[in-house]
Every structure is written in C-alpha cells, then in structure tokens.
Amino acid sequence: MEVCAVRRIAVVGAGQAGLQVGLGLLGAGGYEVTVVAARRPEEVRGGRVMSTQAMFGPALRVERAAGLDLWEGEAPGVRSVDAVLVPEPGVRALEFTMTMDEPAQSVDQRLKMARWLELVEERGGRVEYRELDLAGLRELAAANDLTVVAAGRGELAGIFERDAARSPFDAPQRRLAALYAHGVGAPDPAAGPRARMHAVPGVGELYLQPALTLSGRCDILLWEALPGSPFDCFDDRPGAVEQLERMRELMARYLPWEAELWAGAEPTDPGGSLCGALTPVVRRPVAELGDGIAVLGIGDAVVVNDPITGQGANGAALAADACLRAIVERGDGPFTAAWMTGVFEEFWERHARHGVELTAALLTMPDHLQEVFAAAGEHEAVARRLARTYADPADYAEWLATPELAAAYLASVGWSGSVAHP
Ligand SMILES: Cc1cc2nc3c(=O)[nH]c(=O)nc-3n(C[C@H](O)[C@H](O)[C@H](O)COP(=O)(O)OP(=O)(O)OC[C@H]3O[C@@H](n4cnc5c(N)ncnc54)[C@H](O)[C@@H]3O)c2cc1C
C-alpha cells in the first residue's frame, strides 16, 4: 500500500482567505498547517474594525459547507436592499428594492477572525504570531511544501507584481469611512433586516446594513466619498463619536430621512469606526523568492476591489475555496510556480475578473449602467437581476459588460425609457 507523506502547508495572514485555507486543510486531513498571524485573537477582538464584510449567498454557502458558519443564527440575514437616488440634497428620485435570492450576512471580522484563529489551534494547526518580513517569508517557504500568502493589502503584497493590464485604476476612486452603530432606526421595523443604499451623484454613496458585532446586533454604515466632494471629510481620522457627528450633519443635509433614523444612534465601541482609501489593483499571483522558491498569493494580497460592490471578502472566500480544492486535488504532485499560476488563472476567468469589472463599472457608472438602474426602478426583474449580479458577478459578463448586452436585456423586459445623461 502506498503511504502518502504529510504535506506541509504554510499560510501567511489570518483573514478571510488565509484562515479559510488553513482550516479547510485541517478539515481535509493529511496536512501539517502553519498559519502566521500578525495579531492574537484577543488583539483582534480588542482592535479596530477592518471592513463592513457583507457576504452574499455563494460565499456563505462555502463557509457553511466548511462548518465555519458559526454565527448563522445570530447574524441578521438580509434579504433585500432598498436603493434611492439622491440627485440633489434632500431629494429622493429613483427608488427600488433589490431582492436577493439568498440572504446576505455581515459578521464583524473582529469576531469571526479571532474565533477562526482559535479554531486553527483547536483543530491541530500551528499558529506563529509574528509580522512576517521578506526574509521570514523566504525561510518559511523553504521549510514548507507550499506557502500561501493571504496577507491582505499590507506591505507584503508588494512581492506580487502589479498587473497593469488587469488593474483598472491607479488611484483610490473613493475615500472610505465605516461606522458600526447601535440604535439606528429602520423605516419599517416589521419588514425584517434590510440594507439601504443611497447614491448621490458627484458626491458619493452610502450603504447601510444590519450586522453582528462583538456587542450583538448593530448597523454598519459604509461611506463612499468621491475624493474632494463634501462627503470626503474624514482624512483626520476623527474617532467614532466625532465621525458619527459629522456623518449625521451630512445626512441631515443630503438625506434627511436617513438622518432621522440616526437620531438616537451611537457607535458600538471606540474601535467601531474606520477611515481611509484603497487603490484597486490586480497583481500577478506568484512571487519567485530565489533558489527556486515560489509563493502563491490569494485574496486581497492579489486582487483588491473598492468595497462599493462588496466583492472583497466574497472574492477572498471563493479564492480560498478554489485554492483549497486545488491543493487537495494536487495530491502528492509538486506545487510549482506553473501550478500556482494555473490555480489563479482558472479562478480569475471564472470569478475574479468579473468582480473587478463589475466594481470598476459601478465606480464610474457608464451611461448604459445608469439606464439599467433607471429600468430597475420600474421592473422588478431588473432589480432582482442586479441583486443576483452583486452576489455572483460572473453574471456581469452576460448582461452588463457592454451597452449592447444591456440594451438587449432591457428590451427583453419591455423597458423603453431612457435617462438624461449629464
Ligand atoms: C471599508 C471597507 C469595507 C469593506 N466592505 C466589504 C463588504 O461589505 N463586503 C466584502 O466582501 N468586502 C468588503 N471589504 C473588503 C474585505 O474586507 C477584504 O477584501 C477581505 O477582508 C480580504 O480578505 P483577506 O483575507 O484577503 O485579507 P485581510 O482580511 O486583510 O487579512 C489579511 C491578514 O493578514 C495579516 N497580515 C498582513 N501582513 C502580514 C504579515 N506581514 N505577517 C503576518 N500577517 C500579516 C493581517 O493582519 C490580516 O489579519 C471592505 C473593505 C473595506 C476597507
């Protein structure tokens, strides 16, 4: 009988992508897993929020299948998103509801990653707590059969070369702020958990979603400000309380109906706010470190999207799943640079490129997309398909990628209107 040697796999980064790969390999059996984490679980729980982490049906199904859906009963399941266009301050124009096929969910990554990290050790994996530098990465990779770099947008991602042809932007498209709050009202509390989306052309977008945080249920506001617009006012990183005050003032001017719902709100905790900006980028998935050593990048380490379409954590979850399956299928075969490239390219074509293209389109809103949103205001089928495309961006290529595809689809649902393009 042939006996397979235990394979040693190292994972750098204890986020959505890295922990899912690590825990997946421990579940599969036959792997010696080392996760390198920059922070201990208690530091993660006591730290600042990292994301708004809305996750859609396909990514949640992957977590469920892996037994990692530990908050399923507690986290609100969001079935619909109420969208409002605000063409000028205080004016509600186009309004529609996007109903999702499967509920979306947001579990504070502080809660989720801290617990998943503890699970790695409970399930027999090793965790090394340190911030890995390039020399440390080389050493780690030399000692393992495969090293997966899932270190997010940090410095280490610089080992993966930027892929200019696939990177849609070279600067941040929005200035971001997020706030976790208790006490936010709902327009119709009897309707169950619903997300809300406000687009203020030339100024920015606001996304509100019910979520689960360390202190229970909360609402999370993702604030997407066009650089230089009135919404772009958190560069000084004011802290949760002051950030909420400024947000409330701006909401009172632009979205007074939303400001009313925030009248009694307060931040969930001092770490419940976030400000900054990110440059969307696609990198080459393999870094050669010399002496024949190559490492594979997944998640934000190689594909970074603006959160406007919520593709980051979803993409990281699906990338981790693809990576895990490929490792297991590889059996005793060598983890060569060519194999790594193949794993990424397959995932790029099937999923990642669509997320990047959808996000670029939503950031720039070409005329045909404005038309689709206008049609969604009148046709439930269009709104539903938009919701489906956020959850599975591969559908973008089928109906939104070109003006011709969008026109053909809109004609098929009987839309004959048009929007005035500025
Ligand atoms: C404001 C905001 C809102 C967002 N909202 C959404 C959303 O609603 N939906 C969605 O799907 N996505 C969203 N995202 C994106 C999402 O959070 C990320 O895409 C996702 O977390 C990426 O997961 P990851 O595992 O690749 O990286 P990360 O979550 O960044 O994890 C990387 C880990 O590696 C660790 N690390 C980094 N460097 C090192 C090192 N040198 N040594 C050891 N460890 C290291 C980090 O500490 C971290 O724990 C949002 C992002 C932002 C900024």
Side-chain angles (χ1 to χ4, degrees), residues 51-332:
S51 177
T52 59
Q53 71 268 313
M55 296 191 62
F56 304 118
L60 293 174
R61 266 185 269 132
V62 166
E63 289 188 353
R64 217 170 285 134
L68 295 174
D69 57 330
L70 309 180
W71 301 271
E72 193 79 28
E74 287 172 85
V78 175
R79 279 233 165 247
S80 56
V81 183
D82 297 319
V84 181
L85 178 73
V86 184
E88 49 189 279
V91 177
R92 296 169 78 113
L94 174 67
E95 295 190 42
F96 60 92
T97 296
M98 293 191 277
T99 305
M100 284 179 272
D101 293 342
E102 299 167 88
Q105 205 184 72
S106 172
V107 176
D108 187 341
Q109 286 186 343
R110 292 178 298 180
L111 193 63
K112 189 188 210 178
M113 300 315 155
R115 183 64 198 124
W116 282 7
L117 192 47
E118 289 166 348
L119 277 185
V120 171
E121 284 185 313
E122 288 170 24
R123 294 183 178 174
R126 209 173 71 224
V127 183
E128 291 178 10
Y129 290 103
R130 58 187 172 124
E131 183 127 11
L132 209 63
D133 59 12
L134 187 53
L137 178 62
R138 250 192 221 116
E139 234 170 75
L140 184 78
N144 282 275
D145 296 309
L146 170 66
T147 297
V148 177
V149 177
R153 293 178 277 120
E155 217 173 287
L156 210 56
I159 62 169
F160 300 105
E161 191 190 336
R162 178 174 183 272
D163 186 334
R166 288 176 172 177
S167 297
F169 305 104
D170 53 17
Q173 299 301 295
R174 297 289 188 275
R175 306 288 306 176
L176 305 170
L179 188 82
Y180 286 45
H182 288 309
V184 181
D188 177 7
R194 298 166 80 91
R196 304 197 284 277
M197 174 172 134
H198 293 101
V200 190
V203 180
E205 299 86 8
L206 264 57
Y207 294 85
L208 177 121
Q209 55 183 322
L212 184 70
T213 185
L214 302 161
S215 47
R217 287 197 179 200
C218 69
D219 283 286
I220 303 179
L221 182 59
L222 171 62
W223 189 271
E224 295 250 340
L226 271 109
S229 77
F231 275 14
D232 178 7
C233 61
F234 300 111
D235 257 6
D236 59 336
R237 297 170 198 265
V241 173
E242 170 63 18
Q243 188 172 312
L244 171 57
E245 268 325 299
R246 286 186 209 170
M247 285 173 157
R248 248 199 285 249
E249 277 168 28
L250 284 161
M251 283 192 275
R253 177 160 169 232
Y254 284 89
L255 328 150
W257 56 89
E258 187 66 37
E260 269 174 39
L261 299 171
W262 282 76
E266 43 188 63
T268 55
D269 61 279
S273 68
L274 188 67
C275 308
L278 55 80
T279 301
V281 65
V282 179
R283 299 177 184 278
R284 297 197 196 282
V286 181
E288 310 259 6
L289 305 180
D291 297 330
I293 298 172
V295 297
L296 169 65
I298 64 166
D300 271 14
V302 288
V303 180
V304 177
N305 283 303
D306 184 283
I308 196 163
T309 53
Q311 295 302 310
N314 286 280
L318 297 173
D321 188 51
C323 176
L324 174 64
R325 284 168 193 273
I327 293 171
V328 172
E329 267 167 31
R330 191 68 169 163
D332 287 340

